[in-house]
Amino acid sequence: MDIKSIFQKSMAAIFTDHPYIEDFLTSFGLLPTPSNETLEHYFANLDPDMLEDLGISAEQLQQSFNDFLQGMLAISDPMDKVKSLTIIGGHDKSGKQENLELTLNPGEIICIVGPTGSGKSRLLGDIEWVAQGDTPTKRKILINDQVPDSKWRFSTEHKLVAQLSQNMNFVMDLSAEEFIRMHAESRLVTDPEEKVTQILQQANELAGEQFSPDTPVTSLSGGQSRALMIADMAILSKSPIALIDEIENAGIDRKKALALLVKEEKIILMATHDPILALMGDRRLVIKNGGIDKIIESSEAERKNLVSLEELDNKLLALRNRIRTGDTLENI
Amino acid sequence: MRFLTISGPPSSGKTSVILRVIEALQAKQKKIGVVKFDCLLTDDDKLYAQKGVLVKKGLSGALCPDHYFVSNIEACVTWGHENNCEYLISESAGLCNRCSPHIKEITAVCVIDNLSGIGTPKKIGPMLKSADIVIITKGDIVSQAEREVFASRVKQVNPGAIIMNVNGITGQGAFELTSLFETASDIETLKGKVLRFSMPSALCSYCLGETRIGEEYQTGNIRKMEI
Ligand SMILES: Nc1nc2c(ncn2[C@@H]2O[C@H](COP(=O)(O)OP(=O)(O)OP(=O)(O)O)[C@@H](O)[C@H]2O)c(=O)[nH]1
Ligand SMILES: Nc1ncnc2c1ncn2[C@@H]1O[C@H](COP(=O)(O)OP(=O)(O)O)[C@@H](O)[C@H]1O
Ligand SMILES: [Mg+2]
Ligand SMILES: [Mg+2]
Ligand SMILES: [Zn+2]
Ligand SMILES: [Zn+2]
């Protein structure tokens, strides 16, 4: 759709076809009504004194509106395809060169391991910023073998990477359903209600304990919030690269969670200390003193051990459930 | 000298973010000056002085701090220039949501935090709505989805701005922000510059809608800093 035709629509049509325009106007303190007046006429006839009181000039409002509309229309543009992500090594904290060029492809899971403070989050940060030698590590990131357009750095419509951060707390005063709806609306998905239902259902499958849609987000347990955020990322995010910072804490079905995230053709980088998650990865980058020190390919023997690790994990999970339901653990 | 105006609601993390940027600029041996404007009291000047940057502090007392800002910023810029600062940063507490220190052609930054509530972006006036760069802090306290929802509310009221998440404590995002400071407006004086938006209702010529900066435009109740 082009911008010009939107300006010729009546305010009534704007209200039904483009509710986000009504939201935009009300967020500036304006009170539009669904009349027969065209949008163009509406803008041209705003009272300058009223705008002054609202702290905006007609010129700036128009400029903001154009920027807003362009952003909104861009959301429905297809995302550029990412076929590969290349990390060109920089140096560690002591200046020692990394000497590596590492190319990652969609569908791959790469784990990042290393002690606290070693530089795991910094590596994820370099990728998110598509660093070009302008971060302390001096790493460079290529997309499809090229220095990417710097629009990736600031685009909110087409983010290159989606992050699942360590922190899963909420402060907003909303129910789980309201929160997810607001998030879906901010992404302008075509069928927000359907997505909200899907996310809540998936989250409940991942969480150890069920929660209802009207639970305030602030009273979700750690596991429930984590499950909600993983389902949200899997279903709402279109970003071709996913960065996951330490999701291991108990309370969710990690294997299901990862399977849900990998389902789409994404490149996944995951900072983790969890042996099960680490073995599910194709490779592990070992970070030491701020640099990538070693790359370990998950071996056959390791994959075999994954089976017994999972058995161990399921056993623990079953014990946890018995404790939760008031059982004793005299016979395990 | 690269000059930027930084404002934002009280305790949103302005000083913390500026300190992280100062660290990154000092690593490149840059000379930096900071001017802090506040209303009644501030200790921010001490924090800046500890970093070894040049500091000026101005307290507006009974005046709206943004009005006080505009009557003094020209002299502050001259001060920074005479002291050979390569960067001059002004921090002002946005106490009144209607006024804003942002000047046309001068890189304008607004700092707000994730904890302030989703209704806040639309309540803040030109300080946020006319900024070139919006920094959102305290992302470490909330989930990624909540950060995104908050950022989308900011984008709604200032769709043309660069919006960045920066952590004022760990400095995550500060290198990235510093790269934007390195391309900020480069000036020697504020002569001939104009505010982005007028500041009505108070006691001086700027209360009456004046936007031009300069001694000759300042009438009424004007207070001057000691420089
Ligand atoms: N958790 C967290 N706390 C932060 C962050 N940024 C700042 N803070 C804290 O927020 C409080 C206020 O930060 P300041 O940097 O002093 O805020 P300010 O905007 O300069 O405040 P005034 O100048 O007094 O208006 C301090 O306790 C900071 O440590 C952040 O990213 N995360
Ligand atoms: N190669 C490097 N050179 C300089 N500083 C680095 C380097 N790698 C990491 N750092 C810094 O070290 C600190 C800790 O790194 P971080 O990524 O937070 O560690 P982790 O996530 O592994 O706990 C950060 O301040 C980061 O910017
Ligand atoms: Mg970390
Ligand atoms: Mg401060
Ligand atoms: Zn004011
Ligand atoms: Zn005044």
Side-chain angles (χ1 to χ4, degrees):
Chain A
M1 181 172 317
D2 70 312
I3 291 189
K4 271 202 188 113
S5 70
I6 290 183
F7 277 99
Q8 296 315 318
K9 286 193 175 192
S10 73
M11 292 303 282
I14 294 281
F15 271 60
T16 47
D17 302 351
H18 309 278
Y20 55 87
I21 294 183
E22 183 196 347
D23 279 352
F24 171 86
L25 294 170
T26 52
S27 72
F28 278 85
L30 296 164
L31 303 164
T33 47
S35 62
N36 290 329
E37 187 183 16
T38 64
L39 183 63
E40 185 173 36
H41 189 264
Y42 175 79
F43 270 109
N45 286 284
L46 285 167
D47 176 7
D49 287 343
M50 178 194 60
L51 289 178
E52 165 111 37
D53 278 348
L54 296 174
I56 187 135
S57 65
E59 185 190 10
Q60 200 202 328
L61 181 69
Q62 188 72 57
Q63 177 67 47
S64 289
F65 182 68
N66 290 344
D67 290 340
F68 175 76
L69 214 51
Q70 248 148 31
M72 281 300 175
L73 297 177
I75 293 184
S76 46
D77 287 352
M79 187 102 189
D80 295 1
K81 257 233 158 353
V82 171
K83 293 179 225 96
S84 69
L85 167 81
T86 305
I87 303 169
I88 300 178
H91 59 64
D92 72 5
K93 292 188 195 179
S94 339
K96 194 179 123 209
Q97 295 298 317
E98 283 177 318
N99 283 326
L100 67 97
E101 193 174 315
L102 183 65
T103 297
L104 314 176
N105 299 301
E108 263 186 275
I109 303 175
I110 295 92
C111 293
I112 301 172
V113 298
T116 302
S118 60
K120 299 184 295 296
S121 299
R122 184 64 256 169
L123 174 59
L124 297 181
D126 286 346
I127 295 169
E128 187 174 20
W129 179 244
V130 270
Q132 295 305 323
D134 55 357
T135 64
T137 64
K138 298 281 183 287
R139 290 189 187 110
K140 292 192 182 122
I141 305 296
L142 304 182
I143 304 289
N144 302 338
D145 299 320
Q146 284 173 349
V147 175
D149 195 319
S150 66
K151 74 168 186 208
W152 287 114
R153 289 187 164 179
F154 302 113
S155 167
T156 43
E157 290 83 27
H158 293 140
K159 281 170 82 86
L160 178 64
V161 305
Q163 280 249 28
L164 197 64
S165 56
Q166 257 161 306
N167 196 315
M168 300 285 177
N169 291 332
F170 295 98
V171 297
M172 281 184 190
D173 203 8
L174 296 169
S175 71
E177 184 178 12
E178 287 166 334
F179 179 79
I180 297 297
R181 182 176 303 120
M182 196 171 267
H183 194 206
E185 281 168 359
S186 78
R187 289 276 178 84
L188 270 201
V189 295
T190 39
D191 41 7
E193 286 314 315
E194 191 191 317
K195 291 278 196 285
V196 171
T197 315
Q198 272 179 12
I199 291 170
L200 291 170
Q201 189 192 334
Q202 280 289 1
N204 269 307
E205 274 171 34
L206 293 178
E209 279 174 300
Q210 303 286 296
F211 63 93
S212 74
D214 54 11
T215 312
V217 283
T218 45
S219 46
L220 294 175
S221 73
Q224 289 167 336
S225 329
R226 213 164 279 122
L228 186 63
M229 289 301 87
I230 290 168
D232 173 276
M233 183 180 191
I235 294 168
L236 279 187
S237 166
K238 286 188 264 174
S239 303
I241 300 172
L243 306 180
I244 302 170
D245 210 347
E246 312 194 10
I247 53 163
E248 46 265 44
N249 301 13
I252 53 160
D253 185 332
R254 286 159 298 175
K255 201 177 168 189
K256 249 194 225 163
L258 203 56
L260 188 63
L261 292 171
V262 181
K263 205 160 58 187
E264 305 212 19
E265 283 278 285
K266 284 182 198 292
I267 299 173
I268 298 192
L269 290 111
M270 176 165 60
T272 185
H273 298 136
D274 181 306
I276 294 188
L277 289 175
L279 294 192
M280 281 178 184
D282 302 296
R283 309 183 238 187
R284 301 204 284 286
L285 309 184
V286 184
I287 313 287
K288 208 165 117 187
N289 190 33
I292 300 174
D293 184 53
K294 222 173 14 183
I295 300 173
I296 303 174
E297 303 276 338
S298 302
S299 68
E300 242 352 272
E302 276 189 328
R303 285 200 199 282
K304 275 206 196 101
N305 286 337
L306 183 56
V307 180
S308 44
L309 271 175
E310 277 167 358
E311 274 164 20
L312 216 64
D313 194 52
N314 285 337
K315 210 163 175 181
L316 266 175
L317 201 70
L319 292 178
R320 195 176 294 128
N321 280 333
R322 277 172 59 186
I323 289 279
R324 195 179 272 142
T325 51
D327 204 350
T328 61
L329 296 187
E330 273 145 17
N331 302 305
I332 57 172
Chain B
M1 179 177 74
R2 297 205 184 273
F3 174 53
L4 304 93
T5 56
I6 302 190
S7 69
S11 299
S12 57
K14 299 177 290 297
T15 304
S16 309
V17 168
I18 296 169
L19 289 170
R20 303 289 85 75
V21 170
I22 286 175
E23 286 160 6
L25 288 172
Q26 283 179 332
K28 299 184 178 180
Q29 276 78 42
K30 298 293 178 195
K31 183 164 181 189
I32 303 155
V34 181
V35 196
K36 164 72 198 208
F37 290 91
D38 217 316
C39 200
L40 301 174
L41 184 138
T42 181
D43 286 329
D44 286 353
D45 51 324
K46 293 186 193 126
L47 296 171
Y48 292 125
Q50 273 170 17
K51 290 279 165 201
V53 301
L54 288 175
V55 196
K56 272 275 169 241
K57 155 163 103 169
L59 295 177
S60 64
L63 294 180
C64 162
D66 288 315
H67 288 230
Y68 180 73
F69 164 93
V70 73
S71 315
N72 285 288
I73 195 61
E74 187 187 21
C76 293
V77 166
T78 307
W79 165 79
H81 186 61
E82 281 170 4
N83 282 283
N84 300 316
C85 290
E86 290 161 278
Y87 287 85
L88 182 67
I89 300 169
S90 90
E91 176 191 344
S92 39
L95 293 172
C96 136
N97 281 341
R98 178 61 180 73
C99 293
S100 137
H102 300 325
I103 300 167
K104 282 187 185 158
E105 295 147 29
I106 300 295
T107 306
V109 183
C110 180
V111 179
I112 60 173
D113 72 79
N114 271 300
L115 308 183
S116 60
I118 40 171
T120 298
K122 64 180 175 205
K123 281 190 255 171
I124 305 177
M127 174 169 89
L128 171 64
K129 290 173 179 151
S130 76
D132 303 310
I133 301 170
V134 180
I135 306 297
I136 307 177
T137 59
K138 307 188 190 175
D140 52 321
I141 300 181
V142 299
S143 67
Q144 175 66 18
E146 186 158 342
R147 285 204 287 276
E148 282 179 25
V149 168
F150 191 79
S152 78
R153 296 285 139 155
V154 170
K155 190 163 175 75
Q156 188 174 49
V157 296
N158 189 347
I162 289 177
I163 300 171
M164 286 182 81
N165 277 283
V166 178
N167 186 312
I169 294 177
T170 64
Q172 197 172 16
F175 298 106
E176 292 79 358
L177 177 60
T178 305
S179 75
L180 298 180
F181 273 52
E182 287 167 345
T183 57
S185 44
D186 196 355
I187 55 153
E188 287 176 13
T189 165
L190 282 182
K191 219 166 231 10
K193 295 274 187 260
V194 172
L195 284 174
R196 293 193 180 200
F197 205 74
S198 65
M199 302 180 181
S201 57
L203 304 154
C204 64
S205 49
Y206 296 104
C207 316
L208 299 169
E210 180 61 77
T211 56
R212 287 168 295 180
I213 291 165
E215 211 64 58
E216 61 266 47
Y217 306 115
Q218 298 166 8
T219 55
N221 188 357
I222 303 286
R223 274 193 224 176
K224 293 292 179 183
M225 288 167 71
E226 268 183 43
I227 304 249

